[in-house]
Amino acid sequence: MFENLSERLSGVFDRLTKQGALSEDDVKTALREVRVALLEADVSLPVARDFVKAVQDKATGQAVTKSVTPGQQVVKIVHDALIDVLKGEGEPGALKIDNPPAPILMVGLQGGGKTTTTAKLAKRLKEKEGKRVLMASLDVNRPAAMEQLAILGQQIGVDTLPIVKGEDPVAITLRAKTQAGLGGYDVYMLDTAGRLSIDEELMAQVEAVRDVVNPRETLLVVDGLTGQDAVHTAENFDERIGITGVVLTRMDGDGRGGAALSMRAVTGKPIKFVGLGEKMDALETFEPERIAGRILG
Ligand code: GDP
């Protein structure tokens, strides 16, 4: 369905005579194609526009090396610029979980993959970093969601806070904190309630939970296939709750990954992990190179 960007660009450059440096016109022509490729990859229009402008300034006048065609050269410049935007500061996938027990707040809309990601991340912390993890579900309106976390916990061999009927999210949070301290856990993960869309009640609830534990990390879990919606969700959560990172789920799907670029450009928050399937092992550290390759097609 998508034409490869390199092929497209070589078409554009076929018409150009050999020259020593990329002229402004060459670059403009090529970047028109790049812009289309970004939009097809679901990068938002303002982000695509700003990105292309930055690349244009950088590429114009660059010497073309003999070993590559001007088209390949522009693709390389675009690729490097994509990585610059996608890369957050710090080690990808690293979490601040010193000073045990460290609270990690998991936030996001219903269906984004929050509960699954909570369990995947707990498994990863346990297996890769040898951490003792306690998970607690705060989704008091959806008993099935609480059960789901308990079942996943059993599957992966990670403890979950016992469910007590009638407790509110703040009470559960305080119990998780106490239990994590007494039980010698390194980390306790709070799987907050999800809603179909952002509403005041949800935000107030998450805010109250945040204030009683002062989380070391607040990770927003969003469906990477939802493009612009994912970015809006991130903006909203960041404004109200303050997030420290993003987990993009469903990156195993057909999407081209443009949401990742928009997410970074708009929120400035690091993408820490990507979800690559429903299985408990399908969580990987975010790799800018992989996403850049996918966006360019
Ligand atoms: P929550 O409502 O945000 O807690 O969402 P869930 O964790 O219940 O996930 C909703 C559905 O998405 C479940 O069927 C998950 O198995 C699925 N899911 C979560 N993450 C991924 C992912 O990275 N890839 C795929 N393909 N499915 C996922």
Side-chain angles (χ1 to χ4, degrees):
M1 178 173 147
F2 302 106
E3 198 186 351
N4 178 301
L5 184 64
S6 307
E7 283 164 19
R8 264 192 198 163
L9 288 180
S10 56
V12 170
F13 281 101
D14 275 352
R15 283 176 275 118
L16 303 169
T17 49
K18 281 205 172 65
Q19 37 195 320
L22 295 171
S23 75
E24 196 173 335
D25 277 351
D26 295 346
V27 171
K28 267 200 182 134
T29 315
L31 288 182
R32 221 169 281 143
E33 298 297 324
V34 171
R35 200 167 91 140
V36 172
L38 292 177
L39 295 176
E40 280 178 356
D42 209 14
V43 175
S44 68
L45 184 60
V47 171
R49 210 185 277 143
D50 288 353
F51 178 81
V52 163
K53 171 94 188 52
V55 172
Q56 186 173 316
D57 295 343
K58 201 167 152 189
T60 304
Q62 270 208 14
V64 179
T65 42
K66 292 220 171 60
S67 56
V68 296
T69 64
Q72 287 167 334
Q73 174 113 350
V74 174
V75 170
K76 179 165 187 329
I77 294 168
V78 169
H79 181 264
D80 292 350
L82 275 177
I83 288 175
D84 275 351
V85 178
L86 289 169
K87 214 167 43 184
E89 34 344 307
E91 186 88 1
L95 298 175
K96 256 195 253 142
I97 42 174
D98 46 346
N99 217 356
I104 298 182
L105 194 60
M106 305 294 288
V107 301
L109 295 179
Q110 192 176 317
K114 186 162 30 62
T115 300
T116 313
T117 303
T118 302
K120 284 176 177 176
L121 192 53
K123 182 171 193 280
R124 187 187 166 96
L125 290 173
K126 173 186 151 197
E127 291 175 1
K128 294 217 159 135
E129 301 190 28
K131 300 290 184 198
R132 286 198 66 213
V133 184
L134 177 69
M135 304 189 291
S137 171
L138 309 182
D139 203 345
V140 294
N141 296 325
R142 290 196 308 147
M146 299 184 105
E147 280 298 323
Q148 187 195 348
L149 189 69
I151 291 166
L152 292 174
Q154 272 173 9
Q155 255 178 45
I156 59 175
V158 167
D159 294 340
T160 47
L161 190 74
I163 298 170
V164 175
K165 288 209 173 84
E167 257 182 347
D168 67 30
V170 167
I172 301 172
T173 301
L174 290 171
R175 191 156 57 85
K177 184 180 178 180
T178 306
Q179 178 64 32
L182 293 174
Y185 291 92
D186 298 302
V187 176
Y188 61 107
M189 303 183 69
L190 301 167
D191 181 16
T192 60
R195 295 284 158 84
L196 292 175
S197 60
I198 288 171
D199 64 32
E200 176 51 32
E201 200 189 334
L202 168 71
M203 286 299 180
Q205 192 182 93
V206 177
E207 216 168 33
V209 167
R210 177 200 67 192
D211 290 346
V212 294
V213 290
N214 191 16
R216 216 61 51 80
E217 295 277 356
T218 300
L219 300 179
L220 173 76
V221 181
V222 277
D223 182 341
L225 293 181
T226 58
Q228 268 311 93
D229 284 345
V231 179
H232 289 313
T233 303
E235 278 184 291
N236 272 302
F237 271 94
D238 193 32
E239 237 170 67
R240 186 74 191 258
I241 310 295
I243 59 175
T244 58
V246 177
V247 181
L248 284 181
T249 62
R250 299 211 176 79
M251 295 301 273
D252 50 312
D254 301 333
R256 292 273 302 279
L261 188 75
S262 302
M263 185 70 84
R264 283 284 307 143
V266 173
T267 68
K269 299 292 168 171
I271 299 166
K272 301 224 171 189
F273 299 98
V274 291
L276 292 169
E278 303 203 27
K279 298 230 168 71
M280 286 294 106
D281 284 324
L283 182 78
E284 288 185 9
T285 300
F286 175 67
E287 284 178 30
E289 283 80 6
R290 255 166 80 168
I291 299 291
R294 209 157 133 177
I295 289 174
L296 291 180

